[in-house]
Amino acid sequence: MQRAALFRGGDAQMAAGDLGELLVPYMPTIRVPKSGDRVYKTECAFSYDSPDSEGGLYVCMNTFLGFGREHIERHYRKTGQCVYLHLKRHVIQKVPGASGGALPKRRNAKLFLDLETSSDLNSDDFEYEDEAKLIIFPDHYEISLPNIEELPALVTIACDALLSAKSPYRKQESDSWEEELQASKHAKTLVQLDNGVRIPPSGWKCSKCDLRENLWLNLTDGSVLCGKWFFDSSGGNGHAMEHYKETGYPLAVKLGTITPDGADVYSFDEEEPVLDPHIAKHLAHFGIDMLQMQVTENGLRDNDIKPRVSEWEVIQEAGVKLKPMYGPGYTGMKNLGNSCYLNAVMQAIFSIPEFQRAYVGNLPRIFDYSPLDPTQDFNTQMAKLGHGLLSGQYSKPPMKSELIEQVMKEEHKPQHNGISPRMFKAFISKGHPEFSSNRQQDAQEFFLHLINLVERNPVGSENPSDVFRFLVEERTQCCQSRKVRYTERVDYIMQLPVAMEAATNKDELIAYELKRREAEAARRPLPELVRAKIPFSACLQAFSEPSNVEDFWSSALQAKSAGVKTSRFASFPEYLVVQIKKFTFGLDWIPKKLDVTIDMPDFLDISHLRARGLQPGEEELPDIAPPIVIPDDPKALDIDESSVMQLAEMGFPLEACRKAVYYTGNLGAEVAFNWIIAHMEEPDFAEPLVIPAFGEVASSGAAALGAVGLDNQPPEEMVAIIISMGFQRNLAIQALKATNNNLERALEWIFSHPDPEEESDPALDTMDMENHANANILAETGSEGPRIKDGPGRYELFGFISHMGTSTMSGHYVCHLRKEGRWVIYNDLRVCASERPPKDLGYIYFYHRIPS
């Protein structure tokens, strides 16, 4: 079948001998893909065009990047690369009398192994025809393939290697749970010591070095020991391996990975991750009751029980005929295998005008100034995803039957409904031990991970993540002296506890529990589920109540004492993100979700939670630092391991987390997080922490935070920490000078001096802020302080993300958004008008400030 040339190529047939001569000038630019090269032959780097698209896909024969017809000229102009392999899949009507089959016929099956077939086509009437040709720019000469005899050998080899190349995501996915593990040879005959060891559901630490992350439970003797760095993409000192070498006990399970579906098990003897078919029995030996996680107490498997009030049915609005939605802003996203958490968060993010303007509004500029490999550029991939969701190009209603019939007489042009965010996920999860896997993840953790990336990759003078940022005032009071201290920190999410004790249907819950136990004893089906009904006001009250401060050191008493902390809003964000803290661990080791309903309001007023600062009659705690205790062993220096663990759980290297907590004086994970952002580009970022000698520490109360600068300037490390919070450099130096380089006092000084005197110091003027990794991320906006969008504390609900399942490690996420006056459900590829939005079952809620 003859087809018109895509552009103006193919006007004349070229003699066989002319093909080689035509390609001679471009031979140095044509490469043969090697094993480490990523070949993008199924997706455009700037859009979701593919060989299925009307214009096909152009693959650069030098960089192996793919481009749709809209974007190929941009790459040609930027790189001067002239030779591209054009890939196109046609769907054509079968010739009358041709034999049908179960699947559409594919004439060149070798060409497009990674392309999915359309389930909408009748395989008896239509078939695929794959086409490949070389295109030479700028004149768009076309050379049809195969043309083995006429083409130079190098070109033939390069084309063949490109067409047979594996998916560029295959290497990343090899580390995921898609890889089949083998059962350990030790699992069946494993000997477990009867030593009385029982493992608690939390609070673990290495028995040799007190580390609290990357911990492994030896299944023979119950020892809890740390792993090795890069052993499981986490940090450690290798004590688990040392223990094996000393004892020969072969199997260990990673704490924190135990779910109803299994756990991460490693065999030291076999030197690889393995399956343990008897893992439930082995864990039960140490008091970890995994059987209850696999089978319910009445002996029936979870999937054999279908409660009449299933959250899966309610949240997905099953049983209700939902009207599909099409057009701009109504584009679905394909689930890549437990990627619904990403889909739900990104749908919510790109419903916010500030993100739409930052990425889609700046799309031409972002694309024009993208690096040579746009697949590895955060802003390019954000703009691509935003355009895919908002343009309507990939969300078109089905064509009318008569029009389809007319079109099919010539060629079927498939409708693009939904996008596959594979390239986006591969980039933003790169290097992260959890998000790079195919396991289910916590949508709240992914949201914070995304905000971190947005802040590290500025797209313009205004960072869209500013709309979420707010200041929290923390009031800490010594219970004995009654004196107080006020500090402030940056946050992005309001976390609300679930006030179970405030349930309004306690009698119903008690009756349900009795019926449930009777049903289990009689092995009958369970009664209809009764959820606890929690007033939102009770959750808000629980948020505002004081909490105990562990290991509190009172500067008034100069000793450890009881302390309480209260949090208030020092500023209100433009968009308030509220997380309901539903997930917890039971004492029986079973990770569980509190199955509750909360009457979340459409309109929310939290103005009463506005911070008020130091009140009349309150006396501040003295500004005295705790005494510095120099341990005999420098490695035993007191570092807040809970803060280290919080940072490590975000995917940062363990040693970097330890340095961040140490250099910020154990002031908490938030301050240490800012230190990480400011230093993560440094070459020694993940190198082990080197503790200064005694003389260095004693020279200044905070000298451990960095060497004192020249000309009595404050330590550069401390200056960088304050800058990373969004303050101007001159203000940071002024505050440190005024407080004798005390970091905590410097922060207090900044907040108590809203209009500090301008300081002109030639030495300061010569210091270039480009030395700091996040100088552009937190660029000043004219006001001295973190960039916030303070305003009234009155909000309106516009979206929520719901979770179905028993824990964040399993289940499914769905997003509901209010658009054009009605609620819409985004369930991966399925986008429909919502009839019964389950606002009481959400996990993360999105509120927008009501203008005053």
Side-chain angles (χ1 to χ4, degrees):
M1 180 177 179
Q2 296 295 323
R3 302 183 183 279
L6 191 58
F7 295 102
R8 64 183 183 85
D11 295 341
Q13 296 292 326
M14 300 196 67
D18 295 336
L19 292 179
E21 295 181 12
L22 180 64
L23 288 168
V24 165
Y26 311 109
M27 293 294 285
T29 67
I30 297 176
R31 294 175 52 226
V32 177
K34 295 180 292 189
S35 59
D37 289 329
R38 294 188 294 262
V39 178
Y40 295 93
K41 61 178 181 177
T42 60
E43 181 182 352
C44 173
F46 293 109
S47 71
Y48 292 92
D49 287 348
S50 71
D52 275 321
S53 303
E54 184 177 355
L57 190 73
Y58 295 80
V59 182
C60 175
M61 294 298 292
N62 182 267
T63 64
F64 312 122
L65 296 170
F67 302 96
R69 187 168 64 182
E70 254 183 89
H71 304 285
I72 182 63
E73 292 282 355
R74 174 184 290 107
H75 186 257
Y76 164 69
R77 291 194 308 268
K78 180 179 290 189
T79 64
Q81 177 63 29
C82 297
V83 183
Y84 296 85
L85 185 64
H86 181 249
L87 307 177
K88 180 73 178 81
R89 167 169 291 178
H90 305 280
V91 184
I92 60 176
Q93 192 171 22
K94 286 183 178 179
V95 177
S99 59
L103 293 173
K105 181 181 177 183
R106 299 183 62 187
R107 298 182 180 176
N108 294 321
K110 175 182 176 184
L111 297 185
F112 306 114
L113 292 176
D114 294 325
L115 286 184
E116 297 179 357
T117 59
S118 173
S119 59
D120 299 330
L121 295 182
N122 185 334
S123 60
D124 293 331
D125 299 325
F126 301 96
E127 63 183 2
Y128 291 113
E129 181 180 280
D130 293 346
E131 182 182 30
K133 62 179 74 171
L134 284 173
I135 307 290
I136 303 177
F137 280 69
D139 296 319
H140 302 288
Y141 285 118
E142 295 183 1
I143 303 175
S144 297
L145 297 178
N147 232 329
I148 299 176
E149 295 181 359
E150 294 87 354
L151 293 177
L154 173 66
V155 177
T156 301
I157 294 171
C159 292
D160 186 64
L162 191 151
L163 292 173
S164 60
K166 300 292 186 182
S167 164
Y169 314 111
R170 191 71 54 84
K171 184 177 181 182
Q172 287 178 288
E173 293 171 355
S174 65
D175 296 329
S176 74
W177 282 72
E178 288 183 348
E179 183 177 4
E180 185 176 353
L181 302 179
Q182 300 298 318
S184 171
K185 63 182 181 182
H186 301 287
K188 187 175 182 180
T189 59
L190 185 72
V191 176
Q192 294 187 283
L193 303 184
D194 190 11
N195 53 11
V197 172
R198 291 294 181 267
I199 306 299
S202 60
W204 325 296
K205 64 179 181 179
C206 176
S207 60
K208 291 189 177 181
C209 67
D210 289 341
L211 283 182
R212 295 178 181 270
E213 68 98 43
N214 191 23
L215 299 176
W216 295 77
L217 168 68
N218 190 288
L219 290 175
T220 296
D221 64 357
S223 298
V224 176
L225 299 158
C226 63
K228 188 178 179 181
W229 178 239
F230 287 136
F231 172 77
D232 186 54
S233 300
S234 301
N237 296 318
H239 289 136
M241 175 63 77
E242 290 179 8
H243 186 67
Y244 161 71
K245 293 179 179 177
E246 294 170 1
T247 63
Y249 300 155
L251 297 184
V253 60
K254 186 175 182 182
L255 294 176
T257 68
I258 303 169
T259 72
D261 301 317
D264 290 1
V265 180
Y266 189 84
S267 172
F268 298 106
D269 177 49
E270 295 159 282
E271 298 184 345
E272 64 179 354
V274 295
L275 290 177
D276 180 359
H278 308 284
I279 184 64
K281 182 183 76 171
H282 292 156
L283 290 173
H285 182 82
F286 299 109
I288 304 172
D289 195 349
M290 187 177 175
L291 289 176
Q292 292 190 37
M293 299 166 65
Q294 296 174 324
V295 182
T296 58
E297 293 179 4
N298 65 355
L300 298 175
R301 291 193 175 274
D302 290 337
N303 55 14
D304 293 333
I305 302 171
K306 191 173 183 180
R308 280 174 280 174
V309 188
S310 165
E311 66 174 357
W312 291 77
E313 296 176 353
V314 175
I315 291 175
Q316 297 185 98
E317 303 187 54
V320 180
K321 188 174 183 180
L322 301 179
K323 178 184 176 183
M325 303 287 285
Y326 301 98
Y330 299 106
T331 304
M333 297 173 68
K334 181 182 178 182
N335 193 323
L336 305 174
N338 287 328
S339 66
C340 53
Y341 67 92
L342 179 148
N343 295 349
V345 170
M346 297 315 300
Q347 292 284 10
I349 286 291
F350 275 111
S351 70
I352 296 174
E354 284 80 357
F355 279 85
Q356 295 174 359
R357 289 195 299 267
Y359 295 104
V360 183
N362 286 321
L363 185 141
R365 182 178 65 84
I366 292 173
F367 283 1
D368 286 341
Y369 290 94
S370 64
L372 292 180
D373 186 355
T375 69
Q376 302 302 303
D377 181 62
F378 177 76
N379 290 331
T380 300
Q381 293 308 308
M382 281 287 284
K384 170 184 171 178
L385 181 66
H387 180 265
L389 293 176
L390 301 174
S391 65
Q393 186 175 340
Y394 306 99
S395 177
K396 297 178 180 178
M399 303 173 70
K400 293 182 179 180
S401 57
E402 59 271 16
L403 185 57
I404 293 179
E405 185 177 352
Q406 180 181 353
V407 171
M408 285 302 185
K409 290 179 180 179
E410 298 180 0
E411 177 174 352
H412 174 78
K413 297 181 180 179
Q415 297 293 328
H416 286 281
N417 284 320
I419 59 177
S420 174
R422 187 174 295 276
M423 187 179 293
F424 178 79
K425 182 180 185 297
F427 174 73
I428 65 168
S429 64
K430 184 174 59 177
H432 193 287
E434 291 301 328
F435 298 134
S436 61
S437 74
N438 278 359
R439 296 188 290 270
Q440 186 61 277
Q441 304 298 331
D442 188 344
Q444 178 256 358
E445 291 181 4
F446 177 75
F447 171 80
L448 292 177
H449 175 68
L450 179 75
I451 295 303
N452 177 27
L453 291 174
V454 170
E455 298 217 339
R456 287 165 50 189
N457 296 272
V459 70
S461 59
E462 184 176 348
N463 197 310
S465 63
D466 292 349
V467 300
F468 297 122
R469 189 185 298 112
F470 59 92
L471 291 176
V472 177
E473 177 194 84
E474 292 187 337
R475 177 186 182 272
T476 306
Q477 183 174 39
C478 172
C479 295
Q480 190 168 342
S481 69
R482 312 303 296 175
K483 295 183 179 181
V484 297
R485 173 180 292 116
Y486 285 87
T487 58
E488 291 190 346
R489 61 176 173 83
V490 173
D491 212 334
Y492 296 88
I493 292 182
M494 180 185 188
Q495 295 183 309
L496 281 186
V498 177
M500 292 295 295
E501 68 282 356
T504 59
N505 59 338
K506 292 180 180 178
D507 292 342
E508 293 179 58
L509 292 172
I510 293 172
Y512 165 74
E513 185 63 20
L514 291 174
K515 292 179 181 179
R516 185 184 67 83
R517 291 181 181 179
E518 291 174 0
E520 289 174 351
R523 301 181 68 83
R524 297 195 307 267
L526 297 181
E528 183 172 324
L529 177 68
V530 176
R531 293 188 176 89
K533 297 178 180 178
I534 312 295
F536 173 77
S537 57
C539 299
L540 202 60
Q541 178 64 30
F543 170 83
S544 61
E545 290 178 350
S547 60
N548 294 326
V549 180
E550 295 183 9
D551 208 27
F552 175 70
W553 188 87
S554 171
S555 60
L557 307 175
Q558 297 193 37
K560 290 188 177 181
S561 174
V564 293
K565 181 171 65 176
T566 307
S567 297
R568 292 289 186 271
F569 286 84
S571 69
F572 291 120
E574 182 74 18
Y575 289 84
L576 178 67
V577 181
V578 180
Q579 177 199 12
I580 306 299
K581 299 174 68 174
K582 290 186 174 183
F583 297 100
T584 182
F585 271 100
L587 295 177
D588 53 4
W589 254 88
I590 300 177
K592 64 179 182 179
K593 183 173 74 173
L594 302 176
D595 197 356
V596 300
T597 67
I598 301 177
D599 57 336
M600 296 297 293
D602 287 323
F603 297 93
L604 173 63
D605 190 344
I606 55 172
S607 302
H608 64 286
L609 295 178
R610 169 77 75 172
R612 298 180 297 171
L614 188 69
Q615 295 298 295
E618 288 184 333
E619 187 177 350
E620 289 190 271
L621 284 163
D623 193 5
I624 301 174
I628 298 175
V629 179
I630 307 301
D632 296 332
D633 180 5
K635 293 184 179 179
L637 183 75
D638 184 22
I639 295 179
D640 183 5
E641 292 295 343
S642 63
S643 296
V644 174
M645 185 167 64
Q646 288 183 52
L647 296 169
E649 288 174 350
M650 298 180 190
F652 299 114
L654 176 65
E655 286 300 334
C657 300
R658 289 176 58 81
K659 286 200 291 188
V661 174
Y662 172 74
Y663 284 134
T664 53
N666 285 331
L667 292 180
E670 293 85 2
V671 178
F673 174 80
N674 289 323
W675 185 96
I676 286 179
I677 298 302
H679 293 79
M680 64 189 313
E681 301 300 329
E682 296 176 0
D684 61 345
F685 174 66
E687 294 297 318
L689 172 65
V690 178
I691 306 298
F694 175 78
E696 295 175 87
V697 175
S699 64
S700 169
L705 297 180
V708 178
L710 299 176
D711 302 324
N712 295 321
Q713 291 300 320
E716 193 60 32
E717 292 281 358
M718 300 175 69
V719 175
I721 291 170
I722 297 178
I723 291 175
S724 73
M725 298 178 186
F727 300 105
Q728 294 180 353
R729 179 178 179 81
N730 64 333
L731 181 65
I733 293 177
Q734 191 175 349
L736 289 168
K737 282 185 173 182
T739 56
N740 195 26
N741 295 338
N742 183 301
L743 181 60
E744 187 172 355
R745 288 177 54 202
L747 293 173
E748 295 176 0
W749 186 94
I750 290 174
F751 289 115
S752 62
H753 293 73
D755 298 307
E757 297 178 4
E758 291 296 326
E759 178 176 318
S760 180
D761 189 332
L764 302 184
D765 296 338
T766 59
M767 293 184 181
D768 195 335
M769 288 185 67
E770 69 180 6
N771 292 326
H772 304 282
N774 69 328
N776 292 327
I777 302 171
L778 295 167
E780 56 208 71
T781 59
S783 62
E784 294 176 346
R787 295 184 309 191
I788 57 175
K789 295 180 178 293
D790 196 9
R794 296 183 299 276
Y795 295 92
E796 181 178 5
L797 181 69
F798 75 92
F800 59 95
I801 293 173
S802 308
H803 174 268
M804 296 152 278
T806 57
S807 78
T808 55
M809 295 180 180
S810 60
H812 183 59
Y813 286 97
V814 168
C815 178
H816 282 77
L817 296 171
R818 188 170 179 83
K819 291 191 174 183
E820 299 178 317
R822 71 172 305 160
W823 285 96
V824 180
I825 178 173
Y826 294 81
N827 188 356
D828 290 333
L829 282 172
R830 192 169 177 234
V831 181
C832 299
S834 173
E835 297 295 334
R836 301 172 186 171
K839 290 182 283 188
D840 58 335
L841 294 177
Y843 173 46
I844 301 174
Y845 293 85
F846 294 84
Y847 284 87
H848 180 249
R849 179 187 289 140
I850 300 174
S852 56

